[in-house]
Amino acid sequence: MLSIGFKAAFKHASAERTSTQALWIEARSRTGLTGFGEGCPREYVSAESLSTARSFVEAHRDDWLAHISDERSLKNWVVANRSAIDSNPAAWTAVELALLDLLGKERRCSIDALLGLEILAGRFRYTAVLGDASPETFRLQLGRYLGLGFITFKIKLSGNLERDTAKVRALAECGVEGGAVRADANNLWQDPGIAAAHIKALRFPFQALEEPLRSADYAGLARLARRLETRIILDESFLREEQLDQFADLCNGWIVNLRVSKMGGLLRSLKMLQPLRERGLGLIIGAHVGETSVLTRAALTVANCARDILVAQEGAFGTHLLETDVAQPPLMFGSAGVIDIGAFGVSEKPGLGLDVSSRQAA
């Protein structure tokens, strides 16, 4: 378990957090090298908890030790154990990242080179994410983001009309236009009509609306998209590739929020990109609240391979949110919400390219 305090609480409709909730894995080789991995089990996303994640690791540890020795055997295990990963995506993500980090260190190459991918390079711009805070705190956080130079925003809706109206009023008064803002409802409503009434009452033209209805209500989401003439972002409603066939043809303009931890690892996340392209879907590379530099690094590999369909990126908060990070320096956004890969040098270093110390006692 990895527990790091937040500098400020973060709240949305499904949870309020003051610290990380993560599974931490360390994989060691006979030569003394160590790979590090992180996964974020969430009950309301993948029905995982820290307890179930630990049980998954204990149940499969001996199998991994016996059968995974290189990238090929790692990929084979992922394919052969699809059902187990479907039920434990965050737990497996922590294990897979630790193994990829270790294999990269053994081969003396980055995880991107290890997997035969384009080398991570360039600049990546992140979205400012504002939680369901009081009007005063919301305005304060918005001002800080604007001061840093952020140009795109995501706000968490509460379902309380007065509270949510105060948020969009603050955005408008600061000159932030609707096309630069996505709204996330975290499965607030069951009835598309009630959801539509609330969104219309806000009188703010959001770029897109994320998870307004209960998870996997694809027909209801399609009706809501047409009624509001907006795009719908799927997060909790999209965990596995086979779900694409359940919604892709119901309406146009779907956007998928892909978080490496909920998808079951980096390999499965990368495999998802081509089906998304073929269906013309947009992609957001998302993040669980409280992710450290390890998951930020993994998500950047996916983003680097998906620039042609990338709508936005979220996360990379590092010590902007966390009291401390597992990596020094933390891999996190800077001015204007940008990460410049060249400034961190992760592509030139083996594995994840992060300077991480063992947290076995954590």
Side-chain angles (χ1 to χ4, degrees), residues 23 25 48 51-68 74 77-78 80-89 91-93 95-96 99:
L23 178 69
I25 295 292
E48 291 176 280
S51 177
T52 64
R54 286 192 290 262
S55 295
F56 172 79
V57 172
E58 290 299 323
H60 295 281
R61 184 198 308 267
D62 290 344
D63 188 21
W64 300 328
L65 290 171
H67 296 107
I68 299 178
L74 175 62
W77 200 93
V78 171
N81 292 273
R82 176 178 177 178
S83 179
I85 297 174
D86 284 349
S87 299
N88 302 273
W92 170 248
T93 296
V95 174
E96 182 188 270
L99 292 171

Side-chain angles (χ1 to χ4, degrees), residues 7 18 20 27 44 53 65 81-83 86 90 129 146 148 169 177 181 250 308-309 311 338:
K7 292 180 176 178
T18 58
T20 60
Y44 53 88
L65 290 171
N81 292 273
R82 176 178 177 178
S83 179
D86 284 349
V129 180
L146 289 169
L148 284 169
R169 184 181 299 122
E177 298 182 353
V181 184
L250 293 178
D308 57 318
I309 58 173
V311 175
V338 170

Side-chain angles (χ1 to χ4, degrees), residues 165-177:
T165 298
K167 297 169 188 171
V168 298
R169 184 181 299 122
L171 289 163
E173 290 175 356
C174 288
V176 180
E177 298 182 353

Side-chain angles (χ1 to χ4, degrees), residues 169-322:
R169 184 181 299 122
L171 289 163
E173 290 175 356
C174 288
V176 180
E177 298 182 353
V181 184
R182 307 186 299 278
D184 186 359
N186 288 100
N187 312 108
L188 263 173
W189 298 286
Q190 295 189 22
D191 187 323
I194 295 175
H198 185 90
I199 299 301
K200 286 182 176 180
L202 295 178
R203 300 181 180 276
F204 193 82
F206 295 110
Q207 177 195 23
L209 184 60
E210 184 168 340
E211 290 290 346
L213 305 179
R214 65 185 183 275
S215 179
D217 182 7
Y218 303 121
L221 290 166
R223 290 196 300 273
L224 185 60
R226 290 189 288 268
R227 188 166 179 174
L228 294 175
E229 297 182 334
T230 193
R231 302 182 75 178
I232 297 294
I233 303 169
L234 301 178
D235 184 357
E236 291 87 351
S237 297
F238 183 66
L239 304 175
R240 295 178 294 279
E241 182 179 348
E242 59 265 28
Q243 290 175 308
L244 285 170
D245 294 331
Q246 299 177 40
F247 67 81
D249 296 330
L250 293 178
C251 72
N252 296 321
W254 297 106
I255 301 171
V256 164
N257 188 322
L258 188 155
R259 293 184 275 180
V260 172
S261 186
K262 70 160 184 168
M263 302 308 300
L266 179 57
L267 296 177
R268 294 195 354 163
S269 296
L270 291 167
K271 184 175 180 291
M272 192 68 65
L273 299 182
Q274 190 56 33
L276 294 179
R277 287 190 182 95
E278 292 171 353
R279 290 168 170 82
L281 304 183
L283 175 67
I284 292 171
I285 303 297
H288 294 286
V289 176
E291 290 184 1
T292 75
S293 294
V294 170
L295 276 169
T296 295
R297 173 64 177 90
L300 280 164
T301 288
V302 183
N304 195 49
C305 294
R307 291 182 184 267
D308 57 318
I309 58 173
L310 194 61
V311 175
Q313 283 180 261
E314 298 165 2
F317 278 88
T319 53
H320 294 300
L321 175 65
L322 303 176

Side-chain angles (χ1 to χ4, degrees), residues 109-159:
C109 66
S110 69
I111 59 170
D112 311 272
L114 180 75
L115 297 174
L117 305 173
E118 183 177 345
I119 298 303
L120 182 64
R123 291 159 57 89
F124 298 83
R125 185 182 292 273
Y126 286 79
T127 291
V129 180
L130 295 117
D132 179 28
S134 68
E136 295 77 16
T137 300
F138 184 91
R139 283 180 176 273
L140 180 62
Q141 292 175 342
L142 175 60
R144 288 173 177 167
Y145 278 129
L146 289 169
L148 284 169
F150 278 82
I151 60 174
T152 60
F153 303 84
K154 171 176 168 176
I155 69 170
K156 296 288 188 175
L157 298 179
S158 68

